[in-house]
Amino acid sequence: MAWWDKDNLQDKLPFLHTRGFAKTAIGKWFEDQEFTEVETSQLQISPGNETHLRGFETQWQSPTHRNHQLYLATSPEFSHKKLIAGGMERIYEFARVFRNGEIGPLHSPEFTMLEWYRAWENWNKIVEDTLEICVVAARAVGADYFSWKGKSVSIYATPIRISLAQAFRKYANIDLLSTLDSGGNGQRAKLADAAIRANINVAVDDNWSDIFTKILVAKIEPNLGFDAPTILCEYPLPEAALARKCEHDPRVVERFELYICGVEIANGFGELTDAIEQRARFEAAMHEMKRIYGYNYPLDEELLSALAQMPGTSGVALGFDRLVMLISGARSINDVLWTPFPVEQI
């Protein structure tokens, strides 16, 4: 039976109405906080420069019939940072974004990302925003609990904050920081030995980040967000992405993720504004992407130029569809999408 069949659509309407109420309430919250709503382009020079982030390719045909490679945005992040460099201070967007190779109960190749930035603000303020917005959305629809797969967490539960080092020690009995050298570089042999002792399968060609991810997925994430919304923070430098180093320990960075009922909801940073360091990170990630997948993506030179003019800023990307799922009792992401990805026609 087609998703647009009358009975099917009627079954989905409660979830879709929840989506609308939550979006309106969140928009009001941003208005009260004096944010400006922006709308950024979905066509980009680069879809992003993280090793395992895959984009959708397209082409622009110029008036002279020359083809130019473009990509659908995987995030509005690059555009937002250019706006911050141009003088915007508080911005947000309900952005339509696209990620290739991802589909399942929590993944759709096309989805809505709620992303916002605060110039001149510490990353802890963005952490507070993220937790508050989840509660705002729940209250807007009269939900007292976040729920997923039979597990529930009170929206009034005091949030938990735990660093990656603490989580690896608690759930995997691994001293994560001991596997980094003084410069924050991952020492593969040390992490591999620790992973094997924790009964994690390590392949010969796994690098430090591969092993880190295996431990995270197998030992850490299954324990997060079941007693209360949980902030997992202070990621090791090899997993920094676009986050700046922590002042108290340059081996870790100002990056956090929010988990509720075991579901990752948001990923935020104290943003790196050092264009030279960001370029080096991008180039290393694209070298690794080329090794693994046989291709990589161009760098967005406008972004790197903008970083040099960008003030200290913090930002976060929140999976809006996932949040709606948690406050509506939805069974999968398709329940909260007005028009789902057409996988059945492919």
Side-chain angles (χ1 to χ4, degrees):
M1 190 179 295
W3 66 264
W4 42 263
D5 177 84
K6 185 175 181 179
D7 290 337
N8 276 353
L9 192 55
Q10 288 298 314
D11 287 343
K12 286 180 60 171
L13 281 180
F15 303 124
L16 298 172
H17 289 322
T18 293
R19 180 187 185 96
F21 293 139
K23 185 177 181 181
T24 298
I26 291 171
K28 179 63 166 57
W29 184 90
F30 278 114
E31 181 181 343
D32 291 344
Q33 293 283 318
E34 299 182 341
F35 277 73
T36 299
E37 184 175 11
V38 299
E39 295 179 278
T40 58
S41 174
Q42 293 175 341
L43 292 174
Q44 299 289 325
I45 292 295
S46 172
N49 298 114
E50 297 176 43
T51 301
H52 301 292
L53 185 64
R54 289 184 284 171
F56 283 90
E57 299 180 8
T58 188
Q59 289 189 336
W60 173 60
Q61 189 177 79
S62 73
T64 58
H65 303 290
R66 289 184 59 195
N67 290 330
H68 301 265
Q69 185 72 58
L70 293 173
Y71 301 87
L72 294 180
T74 59
S75 162
E77 180 170 7
F78 289 7
S79 295
H80 282 207
K81 289 182 174 178
K82 294 169 190 177
L83 291 172
I84 293 289
M88 303 297 293
E89 294 193 351
R90 296 183 183 184
I91 57 175
Y92 80 98
E93 181 174 7
F94 285 95
R96 298 298 290 180
V97 297
F98 306 83
R99 298 194 175 184
N100 218 337
E102 300 181 3
I103 195 163
L106 289 169
H107 294 277
S108 173
E110 178 182 0
F111 61 100
T112 299
M113 182 176 286
L114 171 59
E115 193 152 336
W116 70 98
Y117 291 82
R118 287 180 179 266
W120 313 105
E121 293 275 9
N122 182 276
W123 69 306
N124 289 302
K125 180 59 177 174
I126 287 287
V127 173
E128 293 174 9
D129 287 348
T130 305
L131 293 166
E132 187 172 348
I133 279 175
C134 291
V135 173
V136 165
R139 286 177 173 169
V141 300
D144 291 323
Y145 293 89
F146 302 109
S147 302
W148 173 246
K149 287 191 172 181
K151 304 292 185 181
S152 296
V153 174
S154 172
I155 70 169
Y156 304 105
T158 301
I160 296 168
R161 184 163 178 160
I162 185 171
S163 70
L164 264 296
Q166 292 169 330
F168 268 59
R169 174 64 72 189
K170 180 176 182 178
Y171 297 118
N173 195 28
I174 291 174
D175 183 352
L176 180 63
L177 296 184
S178 73
T179 72
L180 303 173
D181 65 20
S182 60
N185 301 298
Q187 297 180 297
R188 183 198 181 279
K190 288 186 177 180
L191 188 57
D193 289 344
I196 291 169
R197 289 196 299 272
N199 297 316
I200 300 294
N201 180 50
V202 177
V204 174
D205 60 347
D206 281 344
N207 61 23
W208 188 96
S209 288
D210 295 330
I211 301 168
F212 169 88
T213 300
K214 286 184 175 181
I215 300 168
L216 182 69
V217 170
K219 298 289 187 177
I220 313 303
E221 290 183 331
N223 293 289
L224 301 179
F226 293 101
D227 296 322
T230 300
I231 295 290
L232 183 67
C233 61
E234 295 186 10
Y235 276 64
L237 185 58
E239 300 299 308
L242 292 91
R244 61 177 171 244
K245 297 175 183 177
C246 290
E247 291 184 1
H248 69 86
D249 187 343
R251 296 175 299 171
V252 296
V253 300
E254 296 180 354
R255 176 182 176 185
F256 74 92
E257 293 193 353
L258 171 62
Y259 289 82
I260 302 176
C261 295
V263 178
E264 184 228 320
I265 293 295
N267 181 24
F269 306 139
E271 304 293 345
L272 179 64
T273 56
D274 184 328
I276 295 174
E277 183 175 352
Q278 189 65 79
R279 181 184 294 277
R281 289 186 193 178
F282 281 164
E283 289 176 347
M286 291 301 90
H287 177 79
E288 188 67 5
M289 187 180 199
K290 182 74 170 179
R291 180 186 70 83
I292 296 171
Y293 299 110
Y295 64 91
N296 58 18
Y297 299 130
L299 305 190
D300 185 333
E301 294 294 341
E302 274 193 353
L303 170 70
L304 293 169
S305 296
L307 290 181
Q309 302 176 50
M310 191 171 138
T313 299
S314 296
V316 63
L318 183 149
F320 178 63
D321 309 292
R322 290 186 180 185
L323 177 57
V324 175
M325 291 168 62
L326 293 179
I327 63 174
S328 69
R331 299 150 295 187
S332 76
I333 195 169
N334 278 344
D335 283 342
V336 301
L337 300 178
W338 279 96
T339 56
F341 183 73
V343 65
E344 294 180 359
Q345 299 180 55
I346 296 176

PDB file of all heavy atoms in Angstrom, residues 251-262:
ATOM      1  N   ARG A 251      44.485  18.032  23.916  1.00  0.00           N
ATOM      2  CA  ARG A 251      44.266  16.714  23.312  1.00  0.00           C
ATOM      3  C   ARG A 251      42.789  16.457  23.042  1.00  0.00           C
ATOM      4  O   ARG A 251      42.445  15.499  22.338  1.00  0.00           O
ATOM      5  CB  ARG A 251      44.820  15.612  24.215  1.00  0.00           C
ATOM      6  CG  ARG A 251      46.323  15.637  24.421  1.00  0.00           C
ATOM      7  CD  ARG A 251      46.746  14.575  25.422  1.00  0.00           C
ATOM      8  NE  ARG A 251      46.128  14.808  26.724  1.00  0.00           N
ATOM      9  CZ  ARG A 251      46.172  13.941  27.740  1.00  0.00           C
ATOM     10  NH1 ARG A 251      46.774  12.764  27.583  1.00  0.00           N
ATOM     11  NH2 ARG A 251      45.589  14.228  28.894  1.00  0.00           N
ATOM     12  N   VAL A 252      41.919  17.291  23.614  1.00  0.00           N
ATOM     13  CA  VAL A 252      40.482  17.138  23.411  1.00  0.00           C
ATOM     14  C   VAL A 252      39.908  18.461  22.920  1.00  0.00           C
ATOM     15  O   VAL A 252      40.538  19.514  23.048  1.00  0.00           O
ATOM     16  CB  VAL A 252      39.767  16.673  24.695  1.00  0.00           C
ATOM     17  CG1 VAL A 252      40.255  15.284  25.098  1.00  0.00           C
ATOM     18  CG2 VAL A 252      39.972  17.662  25.834  1.00  0.00           C
ATOM     19  N   VAL A 253      38.699  18.396  22.356  1.00  0.00           N
ATOM     20  CA  VAL A 253      38.117  19.578  21.712  1.00  0.00           C
ATOM     21  C   VAL A 253      36.722  19.881  22.249  1.00  0.00           C
ATOM     22  O   VAL A 253      36.085  19.046  22.895  1.00  0.00           O
ATOM     23  CB  VAL A 253      38.049  19.396  20.179  1.00  0.00           C
ATOM     24  CG1 VAL A 253      39.433  19.179  19.601  1.00  0.00           C
ATOM     25  CG2 VAL A 253      37.106  18.243  19.802  1.00  0.00           C
ATOM     26  N   GLU A 254      36.266  21.095  21.924  1.00  0.00           N
ATOM     27  CA  GLU A 254      34.952  21.560  22.355  1.00  0.00           C
ATOM     28  C   GLU A 254      33.864  21.027  21.413  1.00  0.00           C
ATOM     29  O   GLU A 254      33.255  21.757  20.637  1.00  0.00           O
ATOM     30  CB  GLU A 254      34.937  23.092  22.411  1.00  0.00           C
ATOM     31  CG  GLU A 254      35.883  23.676  23.442  1.00  0.00           C
ATOM     32  CD  GLU A 254      35.865  25.186  23.484  1.00  0.00           C
ATOM     33  OE1 GLU A 254      35.195  25.804  22.615  1.00  0.00           O
ATOM     34  OE2 GLU A 254      36.519  25.773  24.360  1.00  0.00           O
ATOM     35  N   ARG A 255      33.645  19.741  21.522  1.00  0.00           N
ATOM     36  CA  ARG A 255      32.621  19.078  20.721  1.00  0.00           C
ATOM     37  C   ARG A 255      31.718  18.275  21.646  1.00  0.00           C
ATOM     38  O   ARG A 255      32.188  17.656  22.603  1.00  0.00           O
ATOM     39  CB  ARG A 255      33.258  18.136  19.682  1.00  0.00           C
ATOM     40  CG  ARG A 255      32.239  17.347  18.874  1.00  0.00           C
ATOM     41  CD  ARG A 255      32.890  16.396  17.889  1.00  0.00           C
ATOM     42  NE  ARG A 255      31.872  15.595  17.213  1.00  0.00           N
ATOM     43  CZ  ARG A 255      32.127  14.602  16.352  1.00  0.00           C
ATOM     44  NH1 ARG A 255      33.387  14.296  16.061  1.00  0.00           N
ATOM     45  NH2 ARG A 255      31.130  13.941  15.795  1.00  0.00           N
ATOM     46  N   PHE A 256      30.415  18.286  21.368  1.00  0.00           N
ATOM     47  CA  PHE A 256      29.487  17.480  22.158  1.00  0.00           C
ATOM     48  C   PHE A 256      28.428  16.862  21.261  1.00  0.00           C
ATOM     49  O   PHE A 256      28.139  17.352  20.168  1.00  0.00           O
ATOM     50  CB  PHE A 256      28.803  18.333  23.239  1.00  0.00           C
ATOM     51  CG  PHE A 256      27.744  19.272  22.711  1.00  0.00           C
ATOM     52  CD1 PHE A 256      26.410  18.889  22.653  1.00  0.00           C
ATOM     53  CD2 PHE A 256      28.081  20.551  22.278  1.00  0.00           C
ATOM     54  CE1 PHE A 256      25.432  19.748  22.167  1.00  0.00           C
ATOM     55  CE2 PHE A 256      27.109  21.424  21.800  1.00  0.00           C
ATOM     56  CZ  PHE A 256      25.785  21.024  21.742  1.00  0.00           C
ATOM     57  N   GLU A 257      27.865  15.768  21.734  1.00  0.00           N
ATOM     58  CA  GLU A 257      26.687  15.169  21.110  1.00  0.00           C
ATOM     59  C   GLU A 257      25.661  14.917  22.196  1.00  0.00           C
ATOM     60  O   GLU A 257      26.013  14.593  23.342  1.00  0.00           O
ATOM     61  CB  GLU A 257      27.043  13.878  20.369  1.00  0.00           C
ATOM     62  CG  GLU A 257      27.923  14.123  19.153  1.00  0.00           C
ATOM     63  CD  GLU A 257      28.034  12.917  18.225  1.00  0.00           C
ATOM     64  OE1 GLU A 257      27.523  11.839  18.594  1.00  0.00           O
ATOM     65  OE2 GLU A 257      28.619  13.066  17.140  1.00  0.00           O
ATOM     66  N   LEU A 258      24.387  15.071  21.853  1.00  0.00           N
ATOM     67  CA  LEU A 258      23.294  14.823  22.785  1.00  0.00           C
ATOM     68  C   LEU A 258      22.630  13.505  22.435  1.00  0.00           C
ATOM     69  O   LEU A 258      22.268  13.269  21.273  1.00  0.00           O
ATOM     70  CB  LEU A 258      22.265  15.959  22.717  1.00  0.00           C
ATOM     71  CG  LEU A 258      20.951  15.724  23.490  1.00  0.00           C
ATOM     72  CD1 LEU A 258      21.208  15.554  24.985  1.00  0.00           C
ATOM     73  CD2 LEU A 258      19.964  16.863  23.243  1.00  0.00           C
ATOM     74  N   TYR A 259      22.453  12.657  23.457  1.00  0.00           N
ATOM     75  CA  TYR A 259      21.775  11.371  23.296  1.00  0.00           C
ATOM     76  C   TYR A 259      20.535  11.335  24.186  1.00  0.00           C
ATOM     77  O   TYR A 259      20.582  11.718  25.358  1.00  0.00           O
ATOM     78  CB  TYR A 259      22.695  10.221  23.693  1.00  0.00           C
ATOM     79  CG  TYR A 259      23.829   9.982  22.719  1.00  0.00           C
ATOM     80  CD1 TYR A 259      24.987  10.740  22.771  1.00  0.00           C
ATOM     81  CD2 TYR A 259      23.729   8.999  21.741  1.00  0.00           C
ATOM     82  CE1 TYR A 259      26.024  10.532  21.872  1.00  0.00           C
ATOM     83  CE2 TYR A 259      24.768   8.776  20.843  1.00  0.00           C
ATOM     84  CZ  TYR A 259      25.907   9.548  20.915  1.00  0.00           C
ATOM     85  OH  TYR A 259      26.926   9.339  20.026  1.00  0.00           O
ATOM     86  N   ILE A 260      19.432  10.863  23.609  1.00  0.00           N
ATOM     87  CA  ILE A 260      18.201  10.655  24.357  1.00  0.00           C
ATOM     88  C   ILE A 260      17.641   9.297  23.952  1.00  0.00           C
ATOM     89  O   ILE A 260      17.468   9.021  22.762  1.00  0.00           O
ATOM     90  CB  ILE A 260      17.156  11.752  24.071  1.00  0.00           C
ATOM     91  CG1 ILE A 260      17.708  13.141  24.418  1.00  0.00           C
ATOM     92  CG2 ILE A 260      15.882  11.500  24.875  1.00  0.00           C
ATOM     93  CD1 ILE A 260      16.754  14.284  24.076  1.00  0.00           C
ATOM     94  N   CYS A 261      17.402   8.441  24.935  1.00  0.00           N
ATOM     95  CA  CYS A 261      16.904   7.073  24.667  1.00  0.00           C
ATOM     96  C   CYS A 261      17.829   6.334  23.705  1.00  0.00           C
ATOM     97  O   CYS A 261      17.367   5.555  22.862  1.00  0.00           O
ATOM     98  CB  CYS A 261      15.487   7.102  24.119  1.00  0.00           C
ATOM     99  SG  CYS A 261      14.256   7.736  25.268  1.00  0.00           S
ATOM    100  N   GLY A 262      19.124   6.570  23.818  1.00  0.00           N
ATOM    101  CA  GLY A 262      20.093   5.908  22.960  1.00  0.00           C
ATOM    102  C   GLY A 262      20.212   6.489  21.572  1.00  0.00           C
ATOM    103  O   GLY A 262      21.024   6.013  20.771  1.00  0.00           O
TER     104      GLY A 262
END
